[in-house]
């Protein structure tokens, strides 16, 4: 029989997949002899069993849980429901990957009317007993019924208002008793049953609630944006309670071994006296800095600082710890690798290597490639910044420069962002319900909460700019705020500096970041380690320059159609498209040639001897023609033909399914003169560039959308013939190769044939995904939502490669291609080229390079280094 429950003393850090991150951490700390309250973990497999079993906790599992309760009772000398020495526990979820705030913890489970009274008299602290009780009823109801926290907060606010008090700590025993009764009534009204008084029944209800929460909407969304599969499941930790709410020698807090915003090597954290659980993170009261604990409780501080150092050395990584002090005695409740800003991540990685604490490989694995994105985000233009005065200031919770229009709800943020607007989400405080809106926002501003509040932690994880705990911010109404006399209504522009905490009215210009300092050192380590080359998808001067700055080693995809967006070029192209016969087309092509050549001279002058893969015209040509009648008439006038003629051509080119229509190599097959002109433009550009720079361009001429060997061969020969003609004319020595863009499933299967003439392959996996799954990449967004909800797909296959399906085709093509031509150079130019999971797969099967948009190049460089390290293991 599968073992579903492990005491903390039975586990360790290596059992993370089975016990979840929190459970494995608690077990490891227990084995290190640290002061961890006893408890046990119900495994992630148990969670899967619950779902396999029709959402039921099986009889056998229940028995195993209760047997472990008995073991816990023996260890602690306490008993569930006992009036002499009652055992109270917390029930805490914990998946393999940390999902902050996604699932709620229940504290003080095991309490009921009699137990509360017994605790009150035993501790001589009725306030403590009833504070614990009301928290339990509140959290249990909240989690089990899935009603928003605000339902309960309303009652607390009403009570405080009635009594004219402000702080939770000012509530007296009768107030707390009243809240217990009110909360129980909320539960009964919603569930139609009395609030459970039997601790065992409470426990099963709580465990099931944790399991259920694994499939709630927020969790599904969080998993999707963080690449976490549903099949991992969550563990449930049941742990003896220790109490931070027993008076002023008790407290609770969170701390990081290093500063998670800057990376500074100094214990960093916050705590609250006489408080419990989430009080610190929830931002209800503003916590004190951990430095002040040194004076308040020197012994506990000293002990904690030592434990922090031990844990960081033990885990070889910066730790994020949660602790509680009960009447002066310290307990550690959690440790995990701390989330950190990208700046901090780089500083910590580089510092720890320099301190001799970790290896370079460990440093490389410590930083999430996706995170580098935020470093490449812009910061405010210094001169504009000097001319602006901040209207207020909050905590610099997550760095970066953000500018957008103010919205006040997560729903509005989502709606506005979908309309293409940039938004700043302003909230009193955030909670897990806001995550989706936070994700689409440029920046987040909250009135309450510290550096470890929900908003701060989640924003740092996302790399989104955040200013938290701006106490100067006052809500005038639901959709209007005031900061030191400046009013912001919905839609007003605001700028946030997440590195200083400053808030500005209006939009401030920002400028792009550069790679220097720790970033440069770190990227150099990545480059030394990676096997895959990293190139860029780019074809304009500014993009190519940007990509080169960010470390691209060539151009993996230059889309020639993107070179026609300029006014004069598009006109000539339209003339070419509207040509009625080859002669007319040749006339138009002759106009295009010099302009097109100039594009390539420009690019090749920048790329020197790096490889540059140029893709021949790929999209359906009617995409270049105007659809509206007035624009068609304008075009007709320019070309001296009738508007009707233009309209008729547009009509005749209409395709029911353009993605499968006249595009890709089919264009060059129907109109070889286009491919001839492009060949000439590219190679003449190469000759010009060589004259300018003295460096010989390494040109790869790529035929798109190949499915059949003969398709490729036909276009290959057109290109080769033109190239040879040019060589004869000019006597130039050229360095070029002709190859195929492998996109269609048939192209993958018959790659062995294509490789007879093709000297390189580049995989355009956007089209492969489209044609393999049969999903239109322009429309699939609409129905994929339903797929995620129903757990049919967990990821967008256009973002992260479907390795099982599309990946098998890619691998098949690679193997067959290399059987024919062992030195076939192979890369990817689809959207997947910077996705870390995809990169790990491509590294494993033997790709030569990946190519992605210039901004993603550093991400791909790091992901490639990680892939090398992981695939060596
Ligand atoms: P999260 O995953 O959201 O951090 P946790 O399970 O860590 O949730 O619980 C949140 C907080 O609840 C902890 O930081 C701690 O303050 C409190 N808590 C959890 N278990 C216990 C316990 N056994 N005794 C005292 N406090 C606890
Ligand atoms: Mg925690
Ligand atoms: Mg394509």
């Amino acid at each position: 029989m599968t073992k579903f429950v492990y005491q903390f003393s039975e586990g360790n850090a290596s059992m993370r997949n089975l016990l979840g991150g929190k459970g494995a951490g608690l077990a490891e700390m227990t084995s290190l002899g640290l002061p961890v309250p006893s408890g046990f973990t119900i495994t992630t497999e148990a969670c899967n069993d619950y779902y396999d079993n029709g959402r039921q906790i099986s009889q056998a599992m229940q028995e195993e849980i209760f047997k472990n309760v008995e073991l816990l009772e023996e260890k602690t000398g306490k008993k569930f429901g006992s009036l002499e020495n009652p055992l109270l526990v917390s029930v805490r979820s914990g998946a393999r990957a940390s999902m902050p705030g996604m699932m709620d913890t229940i504290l003080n489970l095991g309490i009921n009317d009699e137990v509360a009274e017994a605790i009150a008299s035993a501790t001589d602290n009725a306030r403590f007993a009833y504070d614990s009780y009301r928290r339990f009823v509140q959290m249990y109801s909240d989690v089990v019924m899935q009603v928003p926290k605000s339902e309960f907060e309303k009652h607390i606010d009403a009570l405080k208002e009635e009594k004219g008090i402000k702080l939770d700590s000012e509530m007296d025993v009768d107030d707390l008793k009243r809240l217990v009764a009110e909360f129980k009534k909320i539960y009964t009204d919603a569930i139609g049953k009395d609030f459970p008084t039997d601790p065992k029944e409470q426990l099963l209800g709580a465990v099931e609630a944790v399991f259920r929460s694994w499939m709630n909407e927020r969790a599904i969304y969080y998993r999707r944006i963080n690449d976490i599969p549903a099949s991992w499941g969550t563990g449930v930790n049941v742990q003896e309670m220790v109490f931070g709410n027993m008076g002023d020698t008790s407290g609770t807090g969170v701390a990081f071994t290093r500063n998670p915003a800057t990376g500074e090597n100094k214990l960093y954290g916050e705590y609250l006296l006489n408080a419990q659980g989430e009080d610190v993170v929830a931002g209800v009261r503003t916590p004190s800095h951990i430095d002040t604990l040194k004076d308040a409780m020197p012994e506990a501080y000293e002990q904690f600082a030592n434990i922090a150092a031990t844990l960081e050395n033990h885990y070889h990584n910066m730790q994020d710890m949660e602790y509680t002090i009960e009447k002066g005695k310290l307990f550690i409740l959690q440790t995990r690798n701390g989330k950190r800003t990208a700046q901090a991540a780089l500083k910590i990685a580089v510092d720890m290597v320099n301190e001799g604490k970790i290896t370079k490989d460990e440093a490389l694995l410590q930083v999430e490639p996706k995170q580098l994105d935020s470093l490449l985000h812009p910061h405010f233009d210094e001169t504009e910044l000097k001319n602006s005065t901040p209207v207020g200031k909050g905590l610099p919770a997550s760095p970066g420069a953000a500018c957008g229009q103010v919205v006040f709800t997560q729903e509005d943020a989502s709606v506005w962002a979908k309309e293409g607007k940039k938004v700043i989400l302003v909230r009193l405080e955030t909670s897990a319900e806001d995550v989706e809106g936070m994700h689409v926002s440029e920046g987040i501003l909250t009135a309450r909460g510290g550096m470890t509040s929900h908003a701060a932690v989640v924003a740092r994880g996302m790399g989104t700019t955040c200013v938290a705990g701006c106490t100067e911010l006052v809500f005038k109404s639901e959709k209007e705020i005031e900061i030191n006399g400046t009013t912001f209504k919905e839609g007003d522009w605001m700028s946030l500096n997440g590195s200083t905490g400053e808030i500005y009215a209006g939009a401030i210009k920002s400028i792009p970041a550069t790679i220097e300092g720790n970033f440069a050192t770190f990227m150099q380590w990545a480059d030394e380690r990676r096997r895959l080359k990293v190139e860029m998808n780019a074809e304009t001067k500014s993009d190519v320059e940007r990509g080169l700055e960010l470390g691209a080693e060539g151009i993996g995809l230059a889309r020639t159609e993107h070179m026609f967006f300029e006014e004069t070029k598009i006109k000539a192209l339209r003339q070419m498209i509207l040509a009625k016969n080859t002669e007319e087309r040749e006339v138009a092509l002759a106009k295009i040639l010099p302009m097109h050549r100039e594009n390539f001279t420009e690019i090749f002058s920048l790329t020197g001897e790096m490889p540059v893969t140029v893709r021949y015209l790929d999209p359906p040509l009617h995409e270049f023609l105007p659809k509206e009648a007035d624009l068609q008439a304008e075009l007709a006038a320019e070309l001296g033909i009738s508007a009707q003629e233009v309209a008729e051509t547009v009509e005749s080119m209409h395709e029911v399914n353009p993605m499968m229509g006249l595009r890709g190599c089919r264009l060059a097959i129907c109109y070889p003169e286009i491919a001839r002109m492009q060949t000439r433009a590219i190679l003449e550009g190469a000759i010009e560039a060589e004259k300018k720079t003295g460096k010989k361009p390494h040109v790869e001429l790529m035929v798109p959308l190949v499915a059949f060997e003969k398709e490729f061969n036909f276009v290959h020969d057109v290109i080769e013939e033109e190239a040879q003609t040019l060589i004869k004319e000019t006597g130039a020595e050229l360095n070029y190769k002709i190859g195929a863009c492998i996109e269609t499933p048939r192209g993958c299967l018959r790659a062995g044939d294509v490789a007879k003439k093709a000297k390189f392959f580049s995989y355009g996996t956007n089209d492969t995904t489209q044609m393999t799954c049969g999903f239109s990449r322009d429309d699939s967004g609409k129905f994929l939502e339903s797929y995620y909800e129903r757990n049919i797909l967990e990821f967008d296959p256009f973002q992260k490669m479907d390795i099982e399906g599309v990946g098998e085709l890619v691998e098949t093509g690679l193997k067959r291609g290399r059987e024919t031509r062992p030195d076939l150079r192979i890369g990817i130019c689809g959207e997947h080229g910077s996705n870390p999971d995809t990169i790990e797969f491509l590294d494993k099967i033997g790709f030569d390079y990946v190519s992605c948009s210039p901004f993603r190049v550093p991400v791909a460089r790091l992901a490639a280094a990680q892939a090398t390290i992981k695939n060596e293991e």
Side-chain angles (χ1 to χ4, degrees), residues 22 37 90 92-93 101 103 105 107 239-243 252 276-278 322-324 333-334 336:
K22 199 177 288 165
S90 63
R92 322 167 61 187
S93 65
M103 283 167 276
T105 297
L107 302 178
Q239 185 177 32
E240 180 195 4
M241 282 302 301
V242 291
F243 299 97
T252 181
Q276 192 177 42
E278 304 281 73
E322 295 172 10
Y323 57 96
T324 285
L333 293 171
Q334 187 171 341
R336 61 182 166 206

